[in-house]
């Protein structure tokens, strides 16, 4: 299976701290994406990193990708209570019209005020 | 701007009853369309995806089927629901003619089969 696996499954931190989530995958990919899901809602795209990129930033988010280790990390700096959600990594391994994303099981992040 | 509508938000159905979940996209043409299912505490499982009207690819064998009667309409169906069909069903779309497009999700349908 090409499914990504997030680690840890759950993470609880205090507001203002940084949160780091990891994702590992099994085969070659075109890109890796991170999504956020609030409880009972759909997923929202956060950030995408292509296979030829090593690091990417977007606001308080920092994503790294190590294709040799088949792993990625998502860092949320200066966390807020509103960051409480589940975070999923997703890998794309097909291009063009056959484009599909495979999602991991997610990390549940709880930010305590 | 593009929007995606998915309904109903929640559904309780008895075992053996039929199912029809609908998803429509506005503000874009010729999108790729997807149906995912999310079991409690688990990741998303891709059920079906479509690259055009009448073109459906099934990812896993199951009790469900999908149809795309119009460019921006995607329907998930079952003739007879099983208990194992319970879950959170998410529809999504992506741009076809773009490199590495993100997926845009609807707010999901919580299906409980009793």
């Amino acid at each position: 299976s090409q499914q990504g696996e997030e680690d840890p499954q759950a993470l609880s931190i205090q507001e203002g701290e940084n949160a780091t989530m990891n994702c590992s995958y099994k085969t070659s990919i075109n890109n890796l994406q991170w999504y956020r899901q609030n409880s009972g809602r759909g997923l929202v795209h956060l950030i995408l990193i292509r296979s030829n990129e090593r690091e990417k930033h977007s606001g308080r988010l920092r994503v790294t990708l190590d294709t040799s280790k088949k792993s990625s990390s998502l860092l949320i700096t200066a966390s807020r209570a509103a960051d409480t959600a589940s975070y999923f990594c997703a890998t794309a391994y097909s291009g063009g019209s056959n484009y599909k994303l495979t999602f991991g099981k997610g990390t549940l992040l709880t930010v305590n005020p | 701007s593009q929007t995606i509508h998915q309904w109903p938000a929640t559904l309780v159905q008895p075992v053996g009853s039929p199912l029809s979940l609908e998803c429509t996209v506005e503000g874009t043409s010729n999108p790729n369309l997807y149906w995912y299912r999310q079991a409690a505490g688990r990741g998303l499982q891709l059920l079906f995806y479509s690259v055009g009207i009448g073109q459906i690819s099934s990812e896993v064998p199951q009790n469900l089927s999908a149809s795309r009667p119009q460019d921006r309409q995607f329907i998930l169906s079952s003739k007879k629901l099983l208990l194992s069909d319970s879950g959170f069903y998410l529809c999504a779309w992506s741009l076809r003619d773009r490199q590495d497009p993100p997926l845009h999700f609807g707010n999901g349908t919580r299906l409980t089969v009793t």
Side-chain angles (χ1 to χ4, degrees):
Chain A
S1 168
Q2 305 210 24
Q3 188 177 42
E5 292 288 338
E6 291 90 345
D7 170 61
Q9 291 186 337
L11 179 62
S12 182
I13 60 174
Q14 294 300 122
E15 209 165 24
E17 295 179 340
N18 295 342
T20 300
M21 289 159 272
N22 303 298
C23 171
S24 60
Y25 57 93
K26 295 182 179 179
T27 63
S28 297
I29 59 173
N30 288 357
N31 68 65
L32 187 144
Q33 304 179 28
W34 285 90
Y35 287 77
R36 167 195 168 123
Q37 183 183 34
N38 287 5
S39 180
R41 307 281 291 189
L43 280 73
V44 175
H45 179 258
L46 294 176
I47 194 166
L48 178 152
I49 187 165
R50 293 194 169 88
S51 58
N52 61 352
E53 297 176 311
R54 291 298 168 258
E55 187 172 313
K56 207 161 183 180
H57 297 254
S58 177
R60 293 185 294 114
L61 304 180
R62 173 179 167 247
V63 172
T64 62
L65 179 65
D66 187 335
T67 53
S68 66
K69 295 181 179 179
K70 293 186 170 57
S71 67
S72 172
S73 68
L74 171 67
L75 169 67
I76 303 174
T77 60
S79 64
R80 307 165 181 167
D83 294 329
T84 294
S86 291
Y87 292 82
F88 294 86
C89 69
T91 50
Y93 55 94
S94 298
S97 62
N98 199 33
Y99 186 77
K100 297 178 287 186
L101 288 185
T102 302
F103 287 82
K105 295 182 180 180
T107 292
L108 176 59
L109 173 65
T110 302
V111 182
N112 302 299
Chain B
S1 65
Q2 303 96 346
T3 56
I4 178 169
H5 302 281
Q6 195 179 337
W7 69 92
T10 60
L11 191 60
V12 180
Q13 292 282 103
V15 168
S17 64
L19 173 74
S20 181
L21 302 181
E22 191 161 341
C23 171
T24 59
V25 179
E26 296 178 357
T28 189
S29 296
N30 213 25
N32 283 356
L33 296 172
Y34 309 83
W35 278 111
Y36 283 87
R37 176 169 59 198
Q38 185 177 28
R42 304 191 67 180
L44 279 72
Q45 180 185 36
L46 179 61
L47 301 176
F48 301 96
Y49 73 97
S50 171
V51 300
I53 296 174
Q55 300 179 62
I56 310 294
S57 295
S58 174
E59 290 295 295
V60 293
Q62 58 203 315
N63 185 42
L64 303 168
S65 62
S67 62
R68 185 170 177 174
Q70 300 180 42
D71 180 46
R72 292 171 290 176
Q73 183 184 29
F74 206 23
I75 298 172
L76 183 69
S77 304
S78 174
K79 292 182 179 178
K80 289 185 178 181
L81 283 169
L82 306 172
L83 286 174
S84 57
D85 292 324
S86 293
F88 192 48
Y89 289 84
L90 289 157
C91 180
W93 69 272
S94 68
L95 289 171
R96 188 176 314 170
D97 299 323
R98 176 181 161 181
Q99 184 184 12
D100 303 332
L103 265 59
H104 305 275
F105 284 84
N107 282 326
T109 294
R110 176 77 58 192
L111 172 66
T112 303
V113 182
T114 61

